[in-house]
Amino acid sequence: MAELSGKSVYITGGASGIGKAVVEAFIKEGAVVTVLDRSADGLRELEQQLGDSVRTITGDVTVYEDHQRAVQCAVEAFGKLDILVSNAGVFDAFAKFVDVTPEAMSDAYDMLFSINVKGSFFAAKAAVDELKRTRGNMIFTVSGAGFYPDGGGVWYTASKHAQIGLLRQLAFELAPDIRVNAVAPGGTLTALSVIPPLRPFVNIVDNETKAKSIKRRNPLQIAMEAEDHVGAYILLASDKARAITGEVLASDGGLVVRGLG
Ligand SMILES: NC(=O)c1ccc[n+]([C@@H]2O[C@H](COP(=O)([O-])OP(=O)(O)OC[C@H]3O[C@@H](n4cnc5c(N)ncnc54)[C@H](O)[C@@H]3O)[C@@H](O)[C@H]2O)c1
């Protein structure tokens, strides 16, 4: 039986990678989805692929009004909003703190925190009233970097810890009306982009090298693909998780059992 039958979902960063896999999986489970992404080309492809089950908004998660437009679009098109997935994010490519100049450090902080952290504040704020009406739920895409070092550099790791702080406090404040949870994917083969201020300080590796490194780092030795995480999102979004809030569900090949956490 479809787990998300009739649910209306708003997702950020759904034009690529993990977000796109979630959009496809949610629609297979009977949901209708509104996607905000800065990639107009990616959104056009999504519309061609998924037709009437999807609405798209080209915009930026750092702009509050873009989230308001997306929520309004979801409600106008589908009558309500049941689920928010705050997923858009960017990466620091393991840039080393000591190598980066103070100026680049500051620019990188502003850019990465605006997207990864403020983007989630804004998404949650824009969606909260509609989710209250439906007693819905929020899911944040965090990362193994939200718990452990060496899932990125200081910018990415601190931003993912911050998102977890946001979700815990929101889960507390928004109960009993709205559940708030997160999925923490481990290293995954996607096009996750590296922010410009840090590009001079990092090596961008090819997919084959990335796959080897991801496999080596997780006990299940999986070079994870975006589709590997969709089960975690479906569970948290569905009514089967009605007793789950404030939780981070790791989908990372077992980082916790490395014994390093
Ligand atoms: N790939 C990994 O190894 C990995 C691991 C753990 C967590 N994550 C997290 O998963 C999430 C999705 O990343 P992904 O790996 O699928 O990368 P991706 O680049 O394939 O997808 C991210 C999407 O977000 C969009 N986006 C980025 N900045 C935006 C902005 N300012 N406004 C609107 N849209 C924006 C991009 O256009 C893209 O479609 C991120 O939060 C990332 O931190 C990724």
Side-chain angles (χ1 to χ4, degrees):
M1 209 187 74
E3 296 289 350
L4 301 174
S5 194
K7 300 287 190 194
S8 167
V9 182
Y10 166 37
I11 180 167
T12 67
S16 165
I18 295 168
K20 186 174 186 184
V22 170
V23 173
E24 291 167 348
F26 276 22
I27 287 174
K28 272 201 197 122
E29 293 294 335
V32 284
V33 183
T34 304
V35 184
L36 172 71
D37 202 290
R38 64 183 175 188
S39 166
D41 289 347
L43 290 176
R44 212 168 303 119
E45 265 177 42
L46 211 59
E47 280 174 4
Q48 280 162 5
Q49 183 193 336
L50 298 168
D52 265 359
S53 309
V54 77
R55 294 289 186 282
T56 68
I57 302 280
T58 306
D60 192 318
V61 293
T62 66
V63 178
Y64 185 63
E65 291 71 28
D66 289 351
H67 294 280
Q68 286 182 303
R69 281 198 296 135
V71 169
Q72 199 180 343
C73 170
V75 172
E76 274 170 22
F78 303 122
K80 60 176 180 159
L81 184 69
D82 300 287
I83 297 154
L84 162 69
V85 182
S86 176
N87 165 77
V90 288
F91 196 41
D92 62 11
F94 299 94
K96 290 281 171 249
F97 185 67
V98 290
D99 295 343
V100 175
T101 60
E103 192 189 28
M105 177 181 70
S106 174
D107 292 347
Y109 177 92
D110 290 344
M111 190 173 286
L112 195 137
F113 269 69
S114 285
I115 296 173
N116 289 11
V117 185
K118 194 158 77 174
S120 286
F121 271 75
F122 279 180
K125 185 74 177 163
V128 72
D129 288 345
E130 292 299 333
L131 293 178
K132 207 165 180 178
R133 260 188 261 284
T134 56
R135 293 184 73 89
N137 70 83
M138 301 180 182
I139 304 172
F140 296 162
T141 300
V142 295
S143 167
F147 295 98
Y148 313 113
D150 205 25
V154 288
W155 298 266
Y156 189 71
T157 302
S159 78
K160 293 295 171 180
H161 277 66
Q163 271 187 301
I164 291 178
L166 172 66
L167 100 82
R168 289 197 171 127
Q169 183 63 25
L170 281 182
F172 173 71
E173 287 189 26
L174 300 181
D177 297 321
I178 302 173
R179 297 187 294 109
V180 187
N181 294 293
V183 175
T188 305
L189 294 166
T190 68
L192 184 60
S193 66
V194 178
I195 51 168
L198 292 177
R199 285 183 197 156
F201 305 97
V202 298
N203 295 318
I204 310 281
V205 296
D206 61 58
N207 243 20
E208 203 181 322
T209 313
K210 214 193 271 178
K212 276 191 196 143
S213 140
I214 292 172
K215 255 177 119 160
R216 216 179 23 242
R217 295 153 87 90
N218 72 83
L220 291 179
Q221 297 180 14
I222 307 170
M224 286 169 271
E225 310 265 356
E227 292 70 21
D228 289 316
H229 307 302
V230 300
Y233 289 88
I234 293 169
L235 170 65
L236 292 176
S238 78
D239 296 336
K240 284 200 171 136
R242 79 178 195 106
I244 304 179
T245 197
E247 193 57 73
V248 185
L249 184 44
S251 176
D252 61 10
L255 293 181
V256 73
V257 295
R258 287 187 312 184
L260 302 174

